[in-house]
């Protein structure tokens, strides 16, 4: 018999597998958000294998069905971007809550996962911070390179600094273990004054 965790994981994967956007990883094509979800979960398990079931699910569902809330449907300015990000968090939490309820989780568990996905009490709640560390580590490990190709050095330094500021000390130590290209490592060091 499948546990609630197995059911929820399968259903989250099934939702993310519908992403029409495709990303290639090691010559294999994946639905973009399914690949992101897998990377989040794997990174969490490397970084904190004892993470609670709530954090494990929040890591997998961090971007669930993200393509359904298009950035272009909001004003293309800073205010529009921030509103889009806030609405996305609520959308991800609500979508996940529906899956968790169907999988048989109680309301306390569901509320906790929603709290984590909405990244409440960052820097104050240990599990919210853990999830944020994993988000930042996944960005630095897998998504920094495409960013470097699109933005100038000043913007990149700003992005790296903001990413670093969101992380815990343990997250910083882990981030420095990632094998970056020489250019990106130099960029990170320059951004952080290392």
């Amino acid at each position: 018999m499948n546990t609630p965790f197995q059911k929820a994981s399968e259903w989250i994967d099934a939702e993310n597998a519908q992403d029409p956007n495709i990303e290639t990883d090691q010559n294999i094509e994946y639905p973009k958000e399914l690949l992101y979800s897998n990377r989040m979960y794997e990174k969490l398990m490397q970084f904190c294998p004892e993470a609670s079931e709530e954090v494990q699910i929040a890591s997998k569902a961090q971007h669930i069905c993200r393509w359904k809330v298009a950035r272009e449907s909001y004003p293309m300015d800073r205010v529009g971007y921030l509103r889009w990000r806030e609405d996305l968090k609520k959308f991800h939490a609500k979508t996940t809550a529906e899956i968790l309820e169907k999988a048989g989780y109680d309301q306390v568990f569901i509320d906790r996962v929603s709290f984590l996905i909405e990244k409440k009490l960052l820097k104050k709640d240990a599990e919210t911070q853990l999830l944020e560390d994993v988000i930042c580590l996944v960005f630095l490990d897998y998504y920094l390179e495409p960013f470097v190709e699109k933005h100038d050095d000043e913007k990149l330094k700003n992005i790296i600094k903001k990413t670093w500021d969101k992380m815990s000390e343990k997250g910083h130590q882990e981030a420095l273990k990632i094998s970056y290209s020489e250019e990106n490592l130099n960029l990170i060091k320059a951004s952080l004054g290392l």
Side-chain angles (χ1 to χ4, degrees):
M1 187 63 195
N2 277 359
T3 64
F5 181 79
Q6 287 167 324
K7 283 189 222 168
S9 294
E10 281 171 26
W11 291 336
I12 289 165
D13 286 349
E15 288 295 326
N16 280 328
Q18 295 173 47
D19 190 351
N21 304 294
I22 299 298
E23 199 167 301
T24 305
D25 181 46
Q26 295 173 346
N27 297 320
I28 300 171
E29 290 189 339
Y30 296 90
K32 185 180 173 188
E33 294 309 344
L34 180 63
L35 180 61
Y36 181 79
S37 174
N38 291 340
R39 285 170 168 171
M40 282 289 296
Y41 184 73
E42 284 164 20
K43 187 67 77 179
L44 174 67
M45 293 292 91
Q46 286 165 12
F47 183 57
C48 185
E50 71 283 1
S52 71
E53 213 165 287
E54 290 91 337
V55 180
Q56 289 180 48
I57 286 174
S59 75
K60 285 187 73 63
Q62 189 60 37
H63 279 184
I64 190 166
C65 298
R66 192 181 187 96
W67 67 93
K68 292 182 179 179
V69 184
R71 171 68 186 97
E72 295 74 35
S73 61
Y74 290 78
M76 295 306 282
D77 56 16
R78 178 103 184 117
V79 174
Y81 173 75
L82 293 173
R83 207 170 85 233
W84 173 66
R85 290 292 301 268
E86 274 312 300
D87 288 352
L88 269 177
K89 285 184 209 170
K90 292 185 179 106
F91 169 74
H92 296 321
K94 183 176 181 295
T95 307
T96 307
E98 287 163 5
I99 288 172
L100 296 180
E101 195 174 343
K102 200 169 69 165
Y105 282 106
D106 65 26
Q107 198 57 48
V108 173
F109 186 97
I110 294 169
D111 289 347
R112 181 64 180 159
V113 172
S114 294
F115 176 97
L116 293 168
I117 289 175
E118 291 186 45
K119 297 200 269 189
K120 292 185 175 172
L121 294 181
L122 186 59
K123 298 280 184 194
K124 295 192 176 89
D125 183 279
E127 289 189 322
T128 302
Q129 185 58 55
L130 169 59
L131 188 63
E132 186 64 38
D133 278 347
V134 173
I135 291 165
C136 294
L137 290 167
V138 166
F139 168 71
L140 290 168
D141 202 352
Y142 297 103
Y143 300 97
L144 179 62
E145 191 70 48
F147 254 78
V148 167
E149 290 161 17
K150 285 189 209 150
H151 301 291
D152 63 63
D153 273 10
E154 277 321 298
K155 175 140 186 160
L156 286 166
K157 284 179 183 174
N158 192 25
I159 289 167
I160 291 166
K161 178 99 178 59
K162 280 183 178 166
T163 301
W164 203 257
D165 288 346
K166 291 180 193 169
M167 296 170 82
S168 68
E169 189 47 48
K170 187 182 173 202
H172 292 160
Q173 288 165 11
E174 194 68 18
L176 292 171
K177 294 178 194 168
I178 293 170
S179 63
Y180 304 100
S181 68
E182 193 178 339
E183 295 84 358
N184 287 352
L185 184 59
N186 290 337
L187 180 66
I188 289 167
K189 286 181 171 173
S191 309
L192 305 172
L194 295 176

